[in-house]
């Protein structure tokens, strides 16, 4: 049990990074993201203290989540309650995946 609790590998990050990068690239057309994207080249999907990739992933996840919830959930109270719900992370990654596949243009 202790091994599981100390595991810093994020499986959802590993499964959703490709879709998140697609969203970020589309939303930042014209901006140079080369250095940022290269942080993920050798990332082991572990959220350790020294990981710049993990930090950047967390920031992008937060910003995309804010944008998605502001544009898809009309009520501020509903957004607040959903953001604290255990299903939030799964829902967010599903939305990111669908968004990346849709090739919809957006700005985050």
């Amino acid at each position: 049990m202790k091994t599981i609790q100390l595991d810093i590998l994020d499986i959802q990050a590993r499964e959703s990074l490709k879709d998140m990068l697609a969203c970020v690239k589309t939303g930042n057309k014209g901006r140079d993201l080369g250095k940022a994207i290269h942080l993920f080249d050798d990332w082991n999907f572990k959220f350790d203290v020294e990981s710049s990739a993990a930090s950047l992933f967390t920031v992008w996840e937060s910003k995309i989540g804010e944008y998605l919830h502001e544009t898809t959930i009309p009520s501020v109270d509903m957004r607040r309650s959903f953001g604290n719900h255990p299903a939030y992370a799964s829902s967010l990654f599903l939305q990111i995946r669908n968004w990346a596949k849709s090739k919809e243009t957006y700005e985050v």
Side-chain angles (χ1 to χ4, degrees):
M1 185 62 143
K2 184 177 180 182
T3 306
I4 292 172
Q5 291 173 334
L6 297 176
D7 186 9
I8 57 175
L9 175 68
D10 189 325
I11 295 169
Q12 271 191 316
R14 182 176 60 202
E15 292 177 359
S16 66
L17 179 62
K18 180 181 172 186
D19 294 327
M20 183 175 288
L21 288 175
C23 290
V24 170
K25 286 176 185 176
T26 303
N28 287 285
K29 287 188 181 209
R31 295 186 188 134
D32 182 16
L33 297 173
K35 288 181 183 179
I37 290 174
H38 286 299
L39 285 176
F40 299 111
D41 288 346
D42 298 322
W43 187 33
N44 59 4
F45 302 100
K46 292 188 176 184
F47 279 74
D48 55 38
V49 177
E50 300 296 321
S51 176
S52 298
S55 296
L56 183 58
F57 182 89
T58 301
V59 169
W60 284 355
E61 175 186 48
S62 174
K63 292 296 181 188
I64 291 171
E66 286 174 20
Y67 178 81
L68 285 169
H69 285 96
E70 287 174 7
T71 58
T72 60
I73 302 175
S75 163
V76 172
D77 291 333
M78 286 175 63
R79 286 195 299 265
R80 285 185 187 141
S81 64
F82 185 66
N84 295 322
H85 193 276
Y88 170 75
S90 295
S91 171
L92 176 60
F93 288 116
L94 179 62
Q95 288 180 51
I96 289 171
R97 181 175 297 132
N98 291 338
W99 204 10
K101 288 178 182 175
S102 75
K103 304 201 185 317
E104 178 183 332
T105 303
Y106 41 82
E107 288 227 11
V108 177

